[in-house]
Amino acid sequence: MKKIISHILTALALFSIASCDRDGDIITTGGAEKITLTGNTDDIVLSADNKEGLALTLNWNDNSKLVTNDPNVLAPDNATTNMIQMSADESFTSAIEQLADGGVISAQFTVDQLNSIAGRAGLPGDVSSPLYIRIKSTLANNITPEYSNTLVVNVTPYTIDMTVGYVLTSKLEDSGARLSSPESNGVYKGFLGVSSWYNYYLQEGSGVTWGNDGVSGTPFLISSEDTKWNFWFPGLEGCYYTIVDTQKKEWSALYVSGLTVSGDISGEMTFNRKTNQWTLAFNATTTGNVKIRLNGNAAQYNVQTGTDDAAAVAHTVSFGQNADALTFAIDSESGDITVNVPQTGEQVLTIDLNDPNKWLISVGAGTEEPEPVAPLLYMSGIDDGISGSWTFDNYLRLCNEDELAYAGACNVNSLWGYQFYKEADNWGSNIGLGEGDATSGTIVAGSGINLPAPEPGLYLIYASLSSMSYNTFAINSVQITGIGDNWDLIEMTATDTPGTYKATVDVTASTPWGFQIILNSNWDTKFGGSDGTLAYLGGNIPLDDSYIGKTITVTVDLCKGNYTIE
C-alpha cells in the first residue's frame, strides 16, 4: 500500500527533495520492496566440539531502495532498517533480534552464536525444536513494519550451564570470580571483593555478555548490546553482595562495611578483597564445637541511588547456617552458627565467599597473613599526552623492599600531572602530591592532588613508600659496561621506541662479574638484573662463557624493565 509522504518527512531523513514545481506537491512511494528470506532448512545439530563451525546462512533480497513518483526526488540509500528475528514460537512473542547493517543482504551464524541464540530464545538443550526466523523491515518509526516470510529450522542446541555468571575484567578477560543463578533464571548473585571503582562485565553460560547500558548517568542499568560499557562499583573498596538481574535489566551492589563476631568467639573481622574472605585471629582456650553469631552493617547502591555514597541506603546484614554452608540475610536477625575449633592457641576464623553456591566458615591454626608487598607501582596520567587517557600501562618496579622503594624509566608526556597507584585498575589506591615540583617532593596516600610532571621526554623516576618521597631524572644517554670484564662505558644506541636501547659488543673474554646498564655515565644510576628482567641498583646481569668469541647484541627496554641478549 502506498504511503503519502509530504515535505515535512524530510525531517525524518527519508528523502532529499531535489525540486518541486509548486508548493503543495505530494510525493508518493510504494515503500520498500517486499522482502523474501531464504536459507538452509535442514535439521541443525549443534556441538560444543565445533563452536567456530558454520551452522546457518540466511539470505534476503535488497530492499534498501525506495522508488518515488517524481524522478527529481532522490530517495536515500539504506532507507529501511532490517532486523533479523528468531523465536521459539511462530508468533515471535519473545524474539531474539539482531540488526542487519544497511545494504547487507545475508547473515551467517557459527555454532556458538546459534547455540547462544537458541538458549536465549528458550529452546531446550539436546532436543530438536523449531526455531522461527524472519526479517522485520522498518521504514520509519511512525510506519507499521513489514515482515518477510517465516523460515522454520529444527535446531538441536547443546546444553548450556546457565547457573553460572562469569565475572570478566574491563578487558573482557575471565577474572576467576563467579556469581550464581541456581534457578537458571538470569538473576545472578554472590559476593565480590573489589577495589575502588572496579570495572567488570558479566558473561552468561550462553555467551551473552552484560554491561552498563552505555548511557551516561545510569550506572546500574544493564545491556547486552554492542554499545554497552563495563559495569563499575562505587568508590568504596571492599566486600559487595552483588546481584545482576538480566530480567529487570539492572544490577545492585550491597557494600558490607564490617562484620562482628559474638558468642564463644568475639571480635571484629577483617576483609581481604583479594582472597574474598573475612578473617578474625583469636586465641583459642578450648577445642571442639563452639557457637557464634555474625552481624554487620551495609549500604545499598542501585538504580535509585547510583554510586552516590550519601544516597546509599543503610541496612544490617547477618549470616546463618544451613548444614555445612552459610546463609545470608538482609535486615534480619542472625542465627547460631556452629564451628569446630581444632586446637588451642592462635587460630583464625575464616569466612570464604568465593563459591557463590556454598559460603564456608572454618577455624584453622595460624595468624592473619600480612598483605604482601606489591612488586609494581603504577603511574597513571604520566603519558596521557600520548595515550589520550589515564591508564595503568606505566609502572615502577620494586627495587628495595626494606625501603618500599620503586624505580623505573618512563616516556613522560603528561597533560595534567600524574599519581602513583599501588594496584592496577584500583583508583582508590592512589598516592598524590604532598609538596614538591616536577623533580622531587613528598607524596601522600589518597591526597588526590596530581604530582607535577616534567617536560616531555625519557626519565628515571624513583619513589619510596617508606619515606613517602619521589625524584625524577632526565635520561640523556645509556651505556653498557662489564662484558668481557671490560669496564669501559660503551654507548648504547637509542631505537625508534622510547626507552629501548641496543649495543653490539664483541665478547673477547669471560664476564666473571656480569655487566651493568649505566644511565648518563653516572655509576650511581645503574640497572642490573637476571632472567631477562632489569632491576634498578640490582646485581650485575650474568653472561656465561658460552658467549666468548661471539658478537652479541644487547637490547634493553628501560620502560618495561627487561633485556635480551642475541
Side-chain angles (χ1 to χ4, degrees):
M1 184 178 70
K2 292 187 176 182
K3 309 288 192 263
I4 297 177
I5 303 176
S6 67
H7 294 302
I8 195 171
L9 288 185
T10 58
L12 297 175
L14 291 178
F15 301 107
S16 174
I17 304 300
S19 64
C20 292
D21 294 333
R22 62 185 182 276
D23 291 341
D25 282 354
I26 295 177
I27 309 302
T28 64
T29 177
E33 180 183 342
K34 179 69 176 178
I35 196 164
T36 301
L37 176 65
T38 61
N40 55 300
T41 56
D42 295 335
D43 290 358
I44 300 174
V45 179
L46 304 176
S47 170
D49 296 330
N50 186 32
K51 289 185 176 182
E52 299 305 316
L54 180 62
L56 175 66
T57 299
L58 300 176
N59 298 283
W60 57 92
N61 53 295
D62 185 1
N63 70 331
S64 63
K65 304 288 187 180
L66 299 182
V67 179
T68 71
N69 67 337
D70 187 336
N72 294 318
V73 176
L74 302 178
D77 292 337
N78 304 323
T80 55
T81 299
N82 290 330
M83 190 80 69
I84 302 171
Q85 293 186 320
M86 299 189 183
S87 175
D89 67 275
E90 57 186 336
S91 298
F92 290 85
T93 53
S94 56
I96 306 300
E97 296 186 331
Q98 177 175 310
L99 179 66
D101 292 334
V104 172
I105 57 173
S106 67
Q108 292 185 322
F109 299 87
T110 65
V111 169
D112 185 50
Q113 291 169 336
L114 188 59
N115 199 75
S116 174
I117 291 171
R120 292 167 61 192
L123 269 63
D126 303 317
V127 176
S128 179
S129 304
L131 181 67
Y132 298 88
I133 309 169
R134 69 183 182 185
I135 303 294
K136 174 184 176 182
S137 184
T138 304
L139 184 59
N141 291 336
N142 59 341
I143 297 177
T144 302
E146 300 281 351
Y147 294 94
S148 72
N149 56 302
T150 298
L151 202 67
V152 184
V153 182
N154 290 322
V155 179
T156 304
Y158 54 85
T159 301
I160 298 174
D161 184 3
M162 296 294 287
T163 66
V164 180
Y166 301 88
V167 178
L168 308 182
T169 69
S170 58
K171 297 180 180 180
L172 293 172
E173 299 168 344
D174 190 354
S175 71
R178 303 287 184 262
L179 299 180
S180 175
S181 179
E183 298 177 355
S184 299
N185 61 357
V187 181
Y188 299 89
K189 304 177 181 180
F191 286 95
L192 297 177
V194 302
S195 59
S196 174
W197 304 111
Y198 179 74
N199 297 327
Y200 78 105
Y201 294 93
L202 188 81
Q203 186 176 75
E204 297 184 275
S206 62
V208 176
T209 300
W210 295 87
N212 178 264
D213 70 346
V215 180
S216 180
T218 56
F220 287 95
L221 293 180
I222 75 174
S223 171
S224 60
E225 300 296 327
D226 292 340
T227 55
K228 62 182 175 292
W229 301 338
N230 48 248
F231 297 126
W232 65 92
F233 277 90
L236 296 174
E237 175 179 306
C239 177
Y240 286 85
Y241 181 64
T242 305
I243 301 175
V244 178
D245 190 332
T246 66
Q247 296 181 19
K248 294 182 178 179
K249 302 275 192 305
E250 62 184 53
W251 75 287
S252 63
L254 181 71
Y255 174 64
V256 181
S257 56
L259 285 178
T260 301
V261 184
S262 59
D264 294 331
I265 302 171
S266 62
E268 298 295 323
M269 303 196 79
T270 300
F271 183 68
N272 184 329
R273 66 172 179 80
K274 293 183 179 180
T275 62
N276 204 18
Q277 295 177 333
W278 290 87
T279 58
L280 172 65
F282 68 100
N283 184 40
T285 57
T286 61
T287 62
N289 289 341
V290 299
K291 291 187 181 298
I292 63 171
R293 291 200 170 198
L294 291 170
N295 295 278
N297 295 312
Q300 179 73 64
Y301 298 85
N302 52 31
V303 172
Q304 286 73 39
T305 68
T307 56
D308 183 2
D309 295 337
V313 181
H315 292 278
T316 60
V317 295
S318 62
F319 283 91
Q321 192 172 40
N322 182 11
D324 60 345
L326 293 177
T327 60
F328 178 70
I330 302 172
D331 294 332
S332 178
E333 290 293 324
S334 67
D336 287 338
I337 298 172
T338 300
V339 63
N340 182 264
V341 180
Q343 63 186 55
T344 60
E346 290 296 320
Q347 300 284 298
V348 176
L349 174 69
T350 301
I351 299 174
D352 188 334
L353 302 174
N354 284 288
D355 185 347
N357 295 305
K358 193 173 186 179
W359 303 314
L360 301 175
I361 186 168
S362 63
V363 172
T367 58
E368 294 173 298
E369 292 293 329
E371 186 173 343
V373 176
L376 303 176
L377 184 65
Y378 296 87
M379 300 175 292
S380 197
I382 198 74
D383 74 338
D384 58 350
I386 301 171
S387 65
S389 62
W390 280 43
T391 71
F392 290 86
D393 295 336
N394 297 284
Y395 49 79
L396 310 179
R397 290 185 180 274
L398 182 68
C399 62
N400 187 326
E401 186 169 343
D402 293 337
E403 295 295 326
L404 293 178
Y406 297 80
C410 183
N411 184 32
V412 176
N413 189 333
S414 176
L415 302 177
W416 311 104
Y418 64 101
Q419 294 192 41
F420 294 114
Y421 292 83
K422 296 175 68 175
E423 185 178 1
D425 299 317
N426 183 358
W427 299 102
S429 67
N430 63 306
I431 300 172
L433 179 69
E435 295 181 349
D437 55 26
T439 61
S440 63
T442 61
I443 49 181
V444 177
S447 79
I449 303 174
N450 293 348
L451 282 73
E455 292 297 315
L458 185 65
Y459 289 84
L460 175 71
I461 301 177
Y462 177 93
S464 170
L465 301 188
S466 176
S467 63
M468 297 301 282
S469 62
Y470 69 94
N471 300 89
T472 64
F473 309 89
I475 299 176
N476 301 312
S477 62
V478 178
Q479 297 79 34
I480 189 170
T481 186
I483 293 179
D485 208 18
N486 176 9
W487 294 95
D488 293 337
L489 294 179
I490 301 172
E491 289 294 328
M492 302 191 77
T493 303
T495 69
D496 293 336
T497 302
T500 300
Y501 291 78
K502 288 186 175 183
T504 300
V505 184
D506 294 328
V507 185
T508 58
S510 179
T511 308
W513 313 110
F515 65 93
Q516 299 176 355
I517 305 299
I518 308 296
L519 306 184
N520 299 339
S521 300
N522 182 350
W523 292 85
D524 291 330
T525 54
K526 66 175 184 178
F527 282 88
S530 61
D531 299 324
T533 300
L534 293 175
Y536 183 66
L537 301 180
N540 293 351
I541 300 170
L543 187 71
D544 63 56
D545 287 347
S546 66
Y547 290 98
I548 296 176
K550 297 179 180 179
T551 299
I552 63 172
T553 298
V554 179
T555 304
V556 297
D557 186 338
L558 300 177
C559 295
K560 295 302 181 183
N562 56 50
Y563 70 90
T564 59
I565 302 172
E566 299 175 340

